[in-house]
């Protein structure tokens, strides 16, 4: 403040001496060690919003990092809302929500370790599980965001229960991280009586394309290679049409299968049982059934 500043005819010094609010503010500036830390919920809300809005500088990197950042932020918000009893709510395949988040953190570590993020023993650490998961995901996003597009083509191991590890470019691994984080957030929403939420349409399309790229391998693991192509038509937000050869010798389309795009992504996560999955098919009905069964094996559980 300057001596020439007047407030209702008072000098700055006179005003400060008579105003409790200004006196308190200046005391905080003069003695920063007396400053009060913001409440934890406020800090978490600000950090969560910052993570959601942060976009990497390199466009190709942002294309795959931004969807993951968004799902991490949504999961972060969701976990912040959970009560202590919620963490022990039952979840299929992973026992409880706590077990599910431990599983998610372990699968994230597959890529995080490749990116140089120190792998923490999730089960042994004394830090809260939510914080450990979030810090690892945040470090992974930071490393990816400061990288370049060339790094996206480097092969890494995908997460999943396959007996033979599947390797794919880092760009696909990041889409898988988006896919799994969304899937498990929906698992938590279901377990705590919340409504499920679909990703943005453009992110639904990325997840669908990720699964479709793995579909020929999944089909071959189920039986003899078929010398046909399949056409997949996904409807609704994020949909599109893809024709996928099941072998290099594919010379005709054996089946056209149509389904909702978000439902198809949930099938990929095995959140639709193959026998209950709603779809329409033209062509070979047995091939259509095999496609649906193979697609349901591509999740990360």
């Amino acid at each position: 403040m300057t001596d020439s500043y007047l407030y209702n005819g008072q000098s700055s010094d006179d005003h400060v001496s008579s105003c409790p609010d200004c006196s308190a503010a200046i005391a905080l500036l003069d003695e920063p060690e007396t400053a009060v830390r913001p409440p934890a919920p406020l800090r978490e809300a600000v950090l969560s919003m910052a993570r959601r809005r942060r976009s990497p500088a390199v466009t190709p990197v942002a294309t795959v990092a931004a969807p993951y950042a968004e799902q991490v932020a949504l999961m972060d918000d969701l976990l912040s809302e959970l009560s202590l009893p919620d963490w022990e709510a039952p979840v299929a395949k992973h026992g409880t929500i706590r077990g599910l988040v431990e599983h998610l953190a372990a699968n994230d570590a597959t890529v995080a370790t490749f990116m140089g993020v120190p792998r923490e023993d999730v089960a042994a650490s004394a830090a809260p599980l939510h914080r450990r998961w979030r810090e690892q995901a945040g470090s992974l996003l930071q490393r990816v965001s400061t990288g370049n597009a060339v790094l996206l083509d480097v092969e890494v191991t995908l997460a999943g229960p396959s007996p033979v590890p599947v390797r794919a470019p880092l760009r696909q691994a990041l889409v898988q991280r988006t896919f799994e984080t969304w899937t498990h957030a929906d698992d938590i929403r279901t377990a705590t009586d919340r409504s499920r939420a679909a990703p943005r349409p453009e992110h639904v399309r990325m997840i669908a394309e990720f699964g479709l790229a793995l579909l020929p391998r999944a089909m071959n693991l189920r039986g003899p290679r078929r010398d046909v192509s399949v056409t997949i038509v996904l409807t609704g937000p994020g949909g599109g049409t893809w024709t996928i050869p099941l072998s290099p010798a594919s010379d005709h389309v054996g089946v056209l299968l149509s389904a909702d795009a978000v439902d198809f992504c949930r099938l990929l996560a095995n959140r639709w049982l193959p026998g209950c999955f709603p779809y329409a098919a033209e062509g070979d009905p047995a091939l259509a059934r095999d496609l649906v069964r193979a697609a349901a094996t591509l999740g990360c559980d």
Side-chain angles (χ1 to χ4, degrees), residues 75-115:
M75 176 68 94
D76 190 10
D77 291 344
L78 178 59
L79 295 180
S80 296
E81 295 172 2
L82 298 183
S83 65
L84 286 177
D86 283 340
W87 282 88
E88 307 309 322
V91 175
K93 300 183 180 180
H94 303 292
T96 63
I97 288 176
R98 182 178 305 280
L100 182 149
V101 177
E102 289 174 347
H103 157 81
L104 176 61
N107 279 356
D108 287 347
T110 303
V111 181
T113 303
F114 169 80
M115 294 299 297

Side-chain angles (χ1 to χ4, degrees), residues 5-25:
Y5 171 81
L6 296 178
Y7 184 85
N8 288 344
Q10 293 179 306
S11 70
S12 57
D13 290 339
D14 290 339
H15 172 73
V16 168
S17 65
S18 62
C19 176
D21 290 338
C22 288
S23 297

Side-chain angles (χ1 to χ4, degrees), residues 218-254:
M219 286 288 289
N220 292 335
L221 289 175
R222 296 184 59 82
R225 178 173 293 182
R226 306 191 188 191
D227 293 333
V228 295
S229 295
V230 296
T231 295
I232 309 291
V233 179
L234 300 181
T235 59
T241 300
W242 296 263
T243 296
I244 303 163
L246 297 183
S247 80
S250 300
D251 57 357
H252 72 280
V253 174

Side-chain angles (χ1 to χ4, degrees), residues 51-52 54-56 61-74 141 171-172 174-183 197-211 234 236-239 242 261-262 264-266 268:
R51 293 188 190 99
R52 184 179 291 121
R54 180 181 62 194
S55 295
V61 175
T63 301
V64 290
Y68 179 45
E70 181 164 321
Q71 290 303 320
V72 166
L74 291 171
L141 278 165
R171 68 176 73 251
Q172 285 187 262
L174 290 170
V175 176
Q176 188 191 48
R177 294 296 84 230
T178 302
F179 174 32
E180 186 177 6
T181 306
W182 162 60
T183 296
R200 298 175 188 269
E202 59 269 30
H203 301 170
V204 169
R205 188 180 181 93
M206 289 176 64
I207 292 169
E209 289 181 335
F210 165 78
L234 300 181
W242 296 263
V262 175
F264 184 77
C265 291
R266 289 184 170 130
L268 295 174

